[in-house]
Amino acid sequence: MTVRTLAAATAVALCLGHTAGAQEYNLSLAHWVPATHPLQVLGMEPWMQSITEESGGRITFTVYPAQQLGAAADHYDMARDGIADIAFINPGYQPGRFPILAAAELPFLFANATGAVRGLTEWYQQGGYDDMEMSDVYFCMALTHDPGTMHGKEPILVPEDVRGRTVRPANATEARFVNLLGGASVQVPAPAMREVLSNGTADITQSPWQSLYIFGADTLVTHHLDMPFYASINGFVMNRAMIDGMPEDLRTIMMNHCSPEAAEEMSTGWAGAEAAGRASIAADPAHTMHTPDAEQVALWQAAAEPLTAEWLALMASQGRDGEAMLQGLRDALARYDGLYGQ
């Protein structure tokens, strides 16, 4: 999906308009964040509107937010099985199922959510990795938020501050990182972070900034590690039978909206909203920002190195050249100014 002029949209609508006997499709789109979430308002809704306009109204959507059709971790299978035509997924909610894409969960890779998610989508699609591990759906695009960090009830500045604490991690890779740091992890989806913090099950949560407000955790965690720490990888996947059953012109419209460029557009508003949350937290005297210096950042990076080694070993066990794959990801991120520290 690229920026389109009104004239172009009108021309396409005339070509694809409601001709006699033209089949129409109302697609279900399921996700697990609130309907007011910036991803829906600033990302999904313009994406759906663009498709509806280009199809001359022959493709419309019904949105099912906030886990209405199923739990967050089930959304991939919902798209596979046709419970939803399109689903917003977090692959990290199903540990070990999508090991190639999990490379993007490694800490200190993503500098942002815009160019980086464009690079990630390009790497995953053009490398054929989506067909290797998501062949029972159509992988539309990767999505992510502005890089998130750790937020706790007590100060967090260096890796040692995680030892002995319980953390709600963003995904399976971050859960493993918590364990390496001597902490315990309780892995629940973002909508459940407030519950585990309020009942004492977790002392720390990983989250992008604005999501603390969105999911009601802002009053429960008042100490914040002020650094870009991780990206939680999300995405859109689509039911294969639904796409394959469309006429060629409509199928083309759908697939043209599943691209690296579309990923960047979809993530841009969400990224901006999450980044604005940091400013709100920083301005609130009830909250304390803990900003590591260069030496402390290096401690975090060194602590994360075993995660990369483990991922490379996993790829080797599957007969894959993990070094080349990971370098390809870094190159793709750098190509769009999305690589951490470049």
Side-chain angles (χ1 to χ4, degrees):
M1 180 172 62
T2 58
V3 176
R4 296 171 177 83
T5 66
L6 178 59
T10 302
V12 173
L14 289 172
C15 291
L16 299 178
H18 289 78
T19 58
Q23 189 168 356
E24 298 178 5
Y25 296 82
N26 181 259
L27 306 184
S28 57
L29 190 159
H31 65 79
W32 38 267
V33 297
T36 55
H37 193 284
L39 177 60
Q40 174 170 328
V41 176
L42 302 176
M44 296 179 187
E45 290 178 5
W47 184 80
M48 291 184 290
Q49 181 180 0
S50 176
I51 291 171
T52 297
E53 290 176 354
E54 287 203 21
S55 69
R58 291 167 62 197
I59 301 176
T60 56
F61 296 87
T62 299
V63 180
Y64 296 90
Q67 305 183 91
Q68 287 182 8
L69 295 186
D74 295 335
H75 274 54
Y76 179 91
D77 292 331
M78 287 160 48
R80 180 196 64 191
D81 298 339
I83 296 170
D85 295 313
I86 304 168
F88 173 65
I89 65 168
N90 183 326
Y93 287 170
Q94 295 186 315
R97 187 171 182 182
F98 308 105
I100 298 175
L101 189 57
E105 297 174 354
L106 294 170
F108 312 115
L109 270 179
F110 279 55
N112 54 52
T114 50
V117 82
R118 179 175 180 172
L120 172 60
T121 300
E122 181 179 285
W123 172 79
Y124 198 59
Q125 289 179 332
Q126 294 184 7
Y129 304 130
D130 55 342
D131 287 334
M132 293 179 190
E133 58 184 9
M134 294 192 183
S135 61
D136 45 10
V137 297
Y138 281 118
F139 176 81
C140 181
M141 68 180 87
L143 299 165
T144 194
H145 50 69
D146 198 57
T149 189
M150 289 196 178
H151 314 271
K153 300 174 182 178
E154 301 293 335
I156 312 164
L157 185 60
V158 294
E160 188 63 25
D161 292 332
V162 179
R163 185 174 300 279
R165 296 187 183 176
T166 303
V167 181
R168 186 212 75 90
N171 51 53
T173 300
E174 290 299 324
R176 174 61 179 147
F177 195 13
V178 167
N179 299 150
L180 288 173
L181 297 175
S185 61
V186 51
Q187 191 166 359
V188 298
M193 77 167 78
R194 175 179 173 81
E195 179 182 356
V196 296
L197 289 167
S198 63
N199 66 21
T201 304
D203 310 304
I204 298 168
T205 187
Q206 290 187 323
S207 176
W209 296 93
Q210 186 64 26
S211 286
L212 294 176
Y213 293 102
I214 292 171
F215 295 111
D218 57 294
T219 60
L220 301 174
V221 286
T222 57
H223 293 271
H224 311 275
L225 178 63
D226 189 20
M227 65 183 295
F229 195 89
Y230 75 93
S232 186
I233 306 306
N234 302 280
F236 265 7
V237 295
M238 306 190 297
N239 178 264
R240 276 188 171 268
M242 177 272 295
I243 293 292
D244 291 343
M246 285 183 164
E248 184 177 354
D249 60 337
L250 298 187
R251 187 165 60 249
T252 297
I253 290 171
M254 291 300 301
M255 299 311 290
N256 284 347
H257 282 74
C258 293
S259 67
E261 295 82 4
E264 183 171 7
E265 284 193 35
M266 179 82 75
S267 293
T268 294
W270 184 17
E274 294 289 5
R278 181 193 174 280
S280 298
I281 291 286
D284 189 337
H287 292 265
T288 303
M289 310 285 275
H290 302 276
T291 306
D293 59 27
E295 183 177 348
Q296 291 163 335
V297 170
L299 290 176
W300 286 106
Q301 291 175 318
E305 288 176 359
L307 294 172
T308 299
E310 289 178 359
W311 185 84
L312 292 172
L314 176 60
M315 292 297 103
S317 73
Q318 297 176 356
R320 307 186 193 279
D321 185 348
E323 292 280 3
M325 295 166 70
L326 189 55
Q327 187 59 50
L329 175 56
R330 292 190 179 112
D331 290 345
L333 299 179
R335 193 153 47 246
Y336 302 106
D337 298 321
L339 182 64
Y340 183 91
Q342 73 179 122

